[in-house]
Amino acid sequence: MAQSPNLFRNPLFRWGLPAMTTAMIVAIAFLVVEDQTLRLAMLAVAAVDLLVTPQILKRAA
């Protein structure tokens, strides 16, 4: 049986997906949220997402 192409093996997808979600979180943090503590929490979540998600997607491949 032929192996089907796996999207998770593509590094552009593995890094592009969290980059887009990080960009959305950062945009919302700066454009919508007024509370400084919540903004910092959102930026921390965005940083963790950007660093951890590609590793998880690589293991899923």
Side-chain angles (χ1 to χ4, degrees), residues 24-53:
M24 285 188 274
I25 293 171
V26 169
I28 291 171
F30 282 112
L31 297 175
V32 177
V33 177
E34 295 180 9
D35 183 27
Q36 187 68 23
T37 306
L38 181 58
R39 183 179 293 155
L40 290 175
M42 289 176 72
L43 294 176
V45 167
V48 169
D49 178 39
L50 185 62
L51 296 174
V52 172
T53 302

Side-chain angles (χ1 to χ4, degrees), residues 4-27:
S4 63
N6 191 349
L7 195 57
F8 295 133
R9 292 179 192 228
N10 185 354
L12 184 62
F13 176 78
R14 284 195 318 258
W15 286 97
L17 185 68
M20 290 303 296
T21 57
T22 298
M24 285 188 274
I25 293 171
V26 169

